[in-house]
């Protein structure tokens, strides 16, 4: 088939991802689709996948996608006539330790809120379903009834066939050499068969995606790693209906395959591959065997499934797969280039993810916005530096194994650390900081007491840093604490149109007097929250936007696109994150401390809440903004990075008298949950509106010129009681037995699951396990509905009585902030 001159959508890559997107685009009516494959369909990573199709993921929407994948693979053969090999025998995950069992049971509770059918099994019940298994040391397990397995090649061919049946063109042996960009947009691709223009280009080139994207200035941080499995000779009496088995404590999974067993692994120390780039001619190829590497897994497997001892090994397989720095795949439109979409970096779950990914990405391409909240896998979470190949190689050593490692709360990566450090880094370490990592930044999570070690001892209960964090939180509440917030992203927006543009974007009114700080959300047309940030007016034509570290790429792209969408906008945005340091001085004694250092009057009259002004501290001029993310009197200090050490030294020296303590991000998190402050990506995202999330107070409904998303928000306001609302949750249990809430624990009203927790923490002032999450009610979520219910939170399959309310538990009237 000749290369057409033009297509509506050109997809690069004929693996399972590319074929699924072609399938789903044609399904929703976009039939002018051309898929270009370098060699043959499936020849990259897809052909050799083990084919496990699991459904439980870390969030509701990702689980929905995986569930949809299973349903799709179930029906694909009937639709296309192409067999897929899909069978739904379920899957069992077993636990060797109580901690793992808790993890599995927490997962089971979470899965229930997503509508999955999950049973908790005892060891003998596991044996009934998997007779070959040695269970003596097993504590228990879970069974997901609708999980399954499929043949990756046949399934991909079925997707391709479905796409072709509806008009898509699939060209094999066609290599894309370059994505052509004009005016910041992808306009087509150059291939060895000529050029094809496109309205939209979709990059699904698996482990080749990093290189292709880099050519056009787009960061797609992924790296290949070797991935191993063996297939045995036929094992006599092996039941054909065996569920897939995961023994995560031994890094292994098992799949029955035509009377043989496939045993694969996610070993703790992986082998990155393709450091010099992925060979262009790599096709249906395998990597060299490495028996020594696989041996420990096999040794454990033979003990776990003794029948393996007598089974010969028919195939020792090693093939490459792409891994991302946070083990989550990428989809969406790239922040750098418009009309360039991607679906790549699948971290060993590309087969089970691609059905759902194809569906949502096709819709995203048509609508130009995601159909549901997909922020966990949105490419806009990637930081440009993360495309650095050494960083990727170093991190990949760890990420493969993390898939089966314990998913500890607060887990911190061991590898590729130290990429982004603040000016205070060494001082904070000297002060006992235990560093965590976010968006590449090293940030103090907590400070170890003198003589103790700043190292995590992970568990699902109270971890070893609890006591340290408690004293940090109490310093915030009762004295004063110092936070290194340099990692927060800061953008300078300048020009005669800066005010008009920001005011159009912001739900709050930012056309305020210079020196005012405005807390606002940026909404999309559907009134969903795209960003949650503060904007300080510095002068008539100059504003500083401050957002969280993880939102740096995303919020900057959103702002840039708004500016670019106005042809003659007299407005620029500059990312000043690296140049402007930020320190939080928080707590009731912060005023005394800062007054002492600056000599300025910081009384309520001279410096009210929400006001920003310059102070002199040490030898520096510092912008002091009276605002807080921990719910106390406090100031955020913004200053040129080179003055940071000087100001820090002044604060520490003078602070002793006021009880100043260093405080870390765990304390910040615990305090903000006590105060009910939302965190974008946890509590609010692009499918939650300000009304649903209780942020209506920050909306300037009637400001001149309106704002993006106003129409949809007005419609929601006029539409009667809200059926979904964010509530504050507190467990009734006060003893040390009270479990901690982390994420997605079911919220239960009168015995029925009506929502789930989004953020959880231990409230150190309240002395309770607390959290916040959305609840749903057809009749509307009113205070009466909340008060009349009997509330419980389900943690690891056990229900705990709880209280819920709309207001925060701590300082609901904001007295402390404004004191
Ligand atoms: C050993 C192993 C076991 C696995 N087991 C499972 C499992 O049980 N369950 C599961 O869900 N996942 C599993 N996976 C992961 C799964 O195989 C991958 O996530 C998935 O196949 C990735 O699909 P893809 O379409 O993104 O990439 P690929 O299949 O690699 O497709 C990319 C395609 O792009 C083409 N291409 C590259 N560059 C160009 C170019 N310049 N021009 C044109 N075409 C180009 C390539 O030829 C290739 O065909 C496993 C992976 C491995 C290695």
């Amino acid at each position: 088939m000749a290369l057409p001159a033009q297509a509506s959508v050109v997809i690069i890559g004929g693996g399972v991802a590319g074929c699924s997107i072609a399938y789903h685009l044609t399904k929703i009516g976009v039939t002018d689709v051309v898929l270009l494959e370098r060699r043959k369909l499936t020849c990259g990573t897809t052909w050799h996948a083990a084919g496990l199709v699991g459904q439980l993921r870390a969030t509701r929407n990702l689980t929905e996608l995986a569930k949809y994948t299973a349903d799709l693979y179930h029906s694909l053969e009937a639709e296309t006539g192409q067999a897929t090999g899909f069978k739904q025998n379920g899957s069992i995950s077993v636990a060797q330790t109580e901690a793992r069992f808790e993890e599995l049971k927490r997962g089971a509770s979470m899965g229930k809120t997503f509508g999955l059918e999950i049973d908790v099994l005892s060891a003998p019940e596991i044996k009934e379903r998997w007779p070959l298994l040695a269970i003596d040391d097993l504590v228990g397990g879970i069974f997901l009834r609708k999980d399954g397995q499929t043949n990756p090649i046949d399934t991909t061919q079925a997707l391709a066939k479905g796409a072709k049946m509806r008009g898509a063109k699939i060209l094999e042996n066609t290599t894309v050499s370059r994505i052509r960009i004009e005016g910041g947009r992808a306009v087509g691709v150059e291939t060895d068969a000529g050029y094809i223009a496109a309205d939209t280009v979709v990059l699904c080139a698996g482990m080749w995606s990093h290189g292709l994207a880099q050519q056009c200035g787009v960061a797609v941080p992924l790296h290949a790693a070797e991935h191993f499995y063996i297939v045995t000779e036929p094992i006599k009496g092996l039941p054909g209906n065996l569920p897939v088995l995961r023994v995560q404590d031994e890094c292994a999974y098992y799949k029955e395959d035509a009377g043989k067993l496939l045993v694969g692994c996610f070993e703790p120390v992986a082998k990155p591959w393709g450091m010099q780039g992925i060979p262009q001619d790599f096709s249906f190829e395998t990597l060299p065997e490495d028996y020594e590497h696989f041996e420990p897994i096999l040794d454990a497997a033979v003990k776990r499934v003794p029948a393996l001892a007598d089974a010969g090994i028919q195939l020792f397989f090693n093939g490459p797969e792409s891994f991302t720095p946070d083990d989550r795949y990428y989809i969406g439109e790239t922040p750098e280039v418009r009309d360039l979409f991607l679906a790549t970096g699948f971290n060993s779950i590309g087969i089970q993810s691609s059905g759902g990914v194809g569906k949502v990405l096709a819709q995203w391409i048509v609508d130009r916005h995601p159909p549901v909240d997909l922020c966990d896998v949105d490419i806009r979470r990637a930081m440009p530096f993360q495309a650095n190949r050494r960083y990727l190689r170093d991190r990949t050593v760890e990420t493969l194994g993390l898939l089966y490692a314990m998913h500890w709360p607060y887990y911190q990566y061991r590898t590729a650390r130290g990429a982004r450090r603040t000016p205070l880094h060494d001082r904070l370490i000297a002060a006992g900081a235990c560093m965590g990592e976010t968006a590449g930044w090293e940030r103090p999570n907590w400070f170890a007491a003198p003589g103790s070690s700043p190292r995590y001892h992970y568990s699902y209960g109270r971890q070893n840093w609890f006591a340290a964090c408690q004293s940090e939180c109490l310093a915030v509440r009762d004295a004063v604490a110092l936070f290194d917030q340099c990692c927060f992203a800061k953008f300078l927006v300048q020009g005669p149109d800066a005010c008009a543009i920001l005011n159009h974007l912001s739900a709050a009114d930012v056309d305020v007097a210079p020196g005012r700080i405005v807390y606002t959300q940026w909404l999309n047309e559907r009134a969903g929250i795209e960003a949650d940030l503060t904007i300080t007016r510095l002068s008539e034509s100059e504003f500083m936007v401050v957002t969280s570290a993880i939102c740096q790429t995303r919020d900057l792209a959103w702002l840039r696109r708004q500016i670019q969408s106005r042809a003659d906008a007299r407005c620029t945005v500059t990312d000043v994150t690296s140049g402007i340091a930020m320190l939080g001085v928080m707590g009731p004694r912060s005023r005394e401390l800062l007054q002492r250092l600056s000599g300025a009057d910081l009384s309520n009259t001279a410096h009210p809440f929400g006001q920003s002004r310059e102070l002199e501290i040490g030898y520096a001029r510092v912008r002091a903004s009276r605002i807080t993310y921990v719910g106390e009197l406090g100031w955020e200090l913004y200053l040129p990075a080179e003055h940071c050490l000087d100001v820090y030294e002044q604060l520490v020296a003078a602070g002793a008298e006021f009880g100043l303590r260093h405080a870390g991000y765990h304390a910040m998190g615990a305090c903000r949950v006590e105060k009910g402050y939302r965190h974008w990506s946890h509590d609010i995202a692009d499918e939650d509106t300000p009304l649903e999330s209780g942020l209506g107070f920050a909306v300037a409904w009637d400001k001149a010129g309106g704002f993006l998303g106003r129409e949809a928000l007005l419609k929601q306001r006029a539409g009667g009681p809200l059926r979904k609302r964010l509530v504050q949750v507190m467990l009734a249990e006060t003893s040390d037995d009270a479990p901690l809430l982390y994420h997605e624990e079911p919220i239960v009203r009168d015995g029925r699951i009506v929502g789930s927790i989004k953020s959880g923490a231990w409230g150190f002032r309240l002395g309770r396990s607390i959290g916040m999450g959305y609840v749903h009610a057809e009749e509307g979520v009113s205070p009466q509905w909340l008060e009349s219910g009997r509330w419980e939170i389900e943690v690891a399959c056990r229900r705990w009585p709880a209280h819920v309310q709309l207001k925060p538990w701590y300082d609901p009237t904001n007295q402390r902030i404004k004191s």
Side-chain angles (χ1 to χ4, degrees):
M1 192 190 302
L3 185 72
Q6 205 270 334
S8 174
V9 181
V10 168
I11 299 169
I12 307 170
V16 66
C19 290
S20 179
I21 290 159
Y23 172 93
H24 285 94
L25 278 168
T26 57
K27 202 158 187 179
I28 55 173
V30 184
T31 53
D32 183 16
V33 174
V34 172
L35 183 150
L36 304 173
E37 165 53 46
R38 189 180 53 105
R39 297 286 184 273
K40 295 277 170 216
L41 294 186
T42 76
C43 73
T45 294
T46 296
W47 70 278
H48 53 57
L52 276 46
V53 181
Q55 298 181 77
L56 181 58
R57 309 301 314 155
T59 66
R60 168 182 293 277
N61 287 344
L62 296 188
T63 303
E64 289 294 337
L65 264 56
K67 259 168 76 180
Y68 168 82
T69 301
D71 294 344
L72 173 70
Y73 293 173
H74 187 69
S75 61
L76 208 50
E77 180 171 347
E79 181 196 338
T80 62
Q82 160 74 51
T84 57
F86 183 68
K87 58 180 185 181
Q88 228 160 357
N89 293 341
S91 81
I92 297 179
S93 295
V94 301
Q96 244 181 317
T97 63
E98 287 296 342
R100 175 72 75 178
F101 200 28
E102 166 153 10
E103 175 168 306
L104 294 178
K105 285 191 289 184
R106 279 180 175 260
S109 287
M110 180 173 85
K112 274 197 242 166
T113 64
F114 307 155
L116 293 180
E117 296 173 37
I118 307 183
D119 304 314
V120 176
L121 303 181
S122 65
E125 286 168 333
I126 295 170
K127 182 92 177 170
E128 275 170 34
R129 289 193 153 80
W130 235 92
L132 304 179
L133 204 64
I135 57 160
D136 294 354
D137 59 344
L138 294 186
V139 184
I142 58 169
F143 177 51
L144 280 100
R145 286 184 232 164
K146 294 273 177 66
D147 276 6
Q149 59 192 67
T150 200
N151 178 317
I153 297 180
D154 293 346
T155 305
T156 306
Q157 291 291 356
L159 290 166
K161 189 168 174 197
K164 280 196 281 193
M165 281 160 51
R166 287 188 288 264
K169 295 185 183 66
I170 296 188
L171 276 76
E172 295 180 307
N173 298 311
T174 309
T175 302
V176 173
S177 51
R178 180 173 286 277
I179 300 165
R180 196 180 283 180
I181 314 292
E182 284 172 14
R185 292 179 180 271
V187 293
V189 301
E190 295 163 20
T191 81
D192 51 1
Y195 177 71
I196 172 167
D199 302 328
T200 302
V201 175
V202 191
L203 181 60
C204 300
M207 56 194 169
W208 289 268
S209 303
H210 177 273
L212 264 174
Q214 203 172 34
Q215 281 183 357
C216 58
V218 171
V220 182
L222 56 81
H223 198 290
E226 302 185 24
H227 188 18
F228 301 87
Y229 60 70
I230 56 151
V231 182
T232 65
E233 300 283 357
I235 297 179
K236 227 169 130 196
L238 193 69
N241 62 350
L242 271 187
V244 162
L245 172 72
R246 294 186 180 83
V247 188
Q248 283 136 311
D249 295 317
E250 292 166 357
C251 314
Y253 60 88
Y254 300 74
K255 181 189 98 163
E256 186 278 333
D257 192 2
K260 308 166 201 164
L261 262 189
L262 180 153
V263 186
C265 73
F266 289 102
E267 67 279 18
V269 179
K271 292 176 72 182
W273 181 77
M275 271 78 82
Q276 308 311 321
I278 308 298
Q280 275 306 325
D281 53 358
F282 192 86
S283 166
F284 291 118
E285 269 182 70
T286 61
L287 301 176
E289 291 179 13
D290 184 346
Y291 184 73
E292 227 172 272
H293 191 74
F294 195 76
E295 196 177 8
I297 307 292
L298 192 56
D299 286 349
V302 169
K303 292 195 188 100
R304 184 62 55 205
V305 182
L308 282 174
D310 304 321
I313 295 178
Q314 188 181 70
L315 172 70
F316 191 110
F317 187 84
N318 179 10
E321 159 70 334
S322 318
F323 289 85
T324 63
D326 58 6
D327 261 339
R328 287 182 266 138
Y329 55 82
Y330 298 125
I331 58 173
E333 189 178 20
T334 67
E336 298 93 339
V337 175
R338 293 202 92 149
D339 304 330
L340 176 59
F341 285 73
L342 49 74
T344 191
F346 279 103
N347 301 288
S348 258
I349 54 162
I351 307 299
Q352 70 178 37
S353 307
S354 281
V357 163
K359 181 172 184 236
V360 292
L361 196 69
Q363 200 61 54
W364 194 334
I365 288 167
V366 170
D367 299 340
R368 280 339 202 214
H369 63 75
V372 290
D373 165 24
L374 293 166
C375 68
D376 287 314
V377 287
D378 192 318
I379 180 64
R380 287 174 291 173
R381 75 184 185 280
M383 298 293 139
F385 92 89
Q386 289 179 311
N388 174 294
R389 280 179 299 158
R390 183 170 157 216
Y391 168 83
L392 289 169
R393 181 201 63 198
D394 290 355
R395 175 57 60 82
T396 302
V397 169
E398 180 180 11
T399 39
L400 179 140
L402 287 183
L403 290 167
Y404 277 20
M406 287 292 300
H407 297 97
W408 293 120
Y410 306 104
Y411 178 80
Q412 301 300 323
Y413 295 106
R414 321 183 294 272
T415 56
R417 294 292 300 266
R420 300 170 94 184
R421 303 178 211 189
T422 78
L424 301 183
H425 183 80
D426 292 356
R427 300 295 177 95
L428 300 180
I429 298 259
C434 180
M435 291 290 179
E437 190 244 73
T438 293
W441 285 102
E442 294 294 322
R443 318 193 305 179
N445 277 346
W446 52 281
F447 289 82
S452 65
S453 157
R455 298 230 176 289
Y456 280 92
H457 298 162
Y458 295 116
S459 77
Y460 275 97
R462 288 151 180 72
Q463 299 187 1
N464 62 317
W465 46 266
F466 247 57
C469 187
Q470 171 158 26
S471 27
E472 292 167 30
C473 287
L474 297 184
V476 173
R477 296 280 181 246
D478 299 329
V480 55
L482 176 61
F483 293 92
D484 177 357
Q485 295 181 241
C486 294
C487 65
F488 277 55
K490 302 137 215 133
F491 313 133
L492 203 54
V493 186
Q494 294 166 297
D497 294 335
C499 184
I501 287 175
L502 285 173
N503 225 13
H504 171 67
L505 270 188
S506 305
D509 192 356
V510 302
D511 190 2
V512 290
R516 266 212 71 80
I517 311 157
V518 179
Y519 169 57
T520 189
Q521 286 73 46
W522 289 347
L523 309 184
N524 54 41
E525 296 80 357
R526 296 148 345 264
I529 300 173
E530 290 287 338
D532 179 66
L533 34 78
T534 61
I535 299 181
T536 303
R537 188 166 203 168
L538 304 177
S539 70
E540 206 44 39
S541 58
E542 216 179 5
F543 294 79
M544 181 170 69
V545 176
V546 180
T547 188
S548 66
I550 50 157
C551 293
Q552 184 175 4
T553 307
R554 181 187 173 101
D555 293 355
L556 186 61
W558 186 261
L559 180 53
R560 280 212 170 115
R561 288 197 174 174
Q562 291 300 325
I563 297 172
Q564 284 159 3
S565 67
R566 301 178 175 215
D568 50 359
R570 296 165 304 159
C571 175
T572 59
V573 53
T574 312
D575 185 341
V576 294
T577 306
S578 306
I580 305 288
M582 178 176 170
L583 301 174
V585 182
M586 297 290 153
R589 304 204 69 186
S590 55
R591 176 180 284 130
E592 293 166 78
L593 170 60
L594 292 175
Q595 284 189 157
R596 169 78 57 83
L597 282 172
S598 65
D601 176 3
L602 298 179
S603 63
N604 267 332
T605 337
H607 196 150
F609 180 74
Q611 229 21 72
S612 177
R613 70 192 243 225
E614 279 200 345
L615 303 179
E616 291 186 358
I617 298 180
Y619 296 123
R621 287 170 62 201
V622 171
R623 169 163 294 283
S625 295
R626 188 170 161 195
I627 190 141
T628 176
Y629 194 47
V630 290
E632 294 295 342
L633 175 72
W635 277 262
E636 290 174 352
L637 306 180
Y638 297 89
L639 57 154
E642 65 271 30
H643 288 295
C644 190
L645 270 173
D646 172 36
V647 171
Y648 167 81
E649 285 166 0
Q650 305 293 327
L651 286 166
V652 170
E657 185 187 333
F658 304 98
L660 180 100
R661 275 199 69 125
H662 288 88
Y665 281 79
H666 289 344
M668 187 184 283
C671 290
R672 74 113 187 140
V673 177
E674 269 189 336
K675 183 67 177 86
Y677 286 154
R678 284 73 167 149
H679 183 248
W680 195 90
S681 84
H682 279 103
D683 316 305
I684 44 177
D686 59 3
E687 66 180 21
D688 310 310
T689 71
L691 293 176
E692 291 162 345
S693 54
L695 295 173
F697 70 87
V699 176
W701 295 95
D702 300 319
K703 70 175 173 177
F707 56 88
L708 187 60
R710 180 171 177 268
E711 298 314 311
L713 202 58
L714 280 172
K715 207 167 147 203
Q716 186 177 56
R717 190 172 66 166
L722 292 163
R723 289 197 286 273
K724 162 189 163 193
R725 280 178 97 168
L726 188 78
V727 293
Q728 305 295 323
V729 175
M730 180 193 273
L731 292 193
E733 181 71 42
T734 51
S735 76
D736 277 358
D737 290 344
L740 298 177
L741 306 179
Y742 295 115
H743 193 53
E744 297 292 8
E745 291 85 357
I747 304 177
V748 182
R749 181 184 187 272
D750 294 341
R752 203 170 63 82
I753 295 174
V754 293
S756 64
I757 298 287
K758 295 297 165 194
S759 286
W762 180 256
F764 286 98
R765 167 66 4 119
L766 300 166
R768 297 285 187 91
S769 214
I770 50 171
M772 60 184 108
Y774 288 94
V775 292
H776 304 254
E778 272 312 306
E779 64 271 39
V781 179
S782 61
Q784 296 78 350
W785 184 81
L786 293 175
E787 279 157 25
S788 62
R790 183 176 55 83
W791 293 91
E792 293 164 302
I793 307 298
E794 182 173 316
V795 183
C797 301
R798 178 172 167 194
R799 292 187 174 177
W800 297 81
H803 309 289
V804 305
Q805 63 179 34
L806 292 168
K807 284 187 188 144
W809 302 109
Y810 183 73
D811 191 24
T813 52
N814 290 333
Q815 306 237 319
R816 298 187 65 87
I817 297 170
K818 298 193 171 160
S819 63

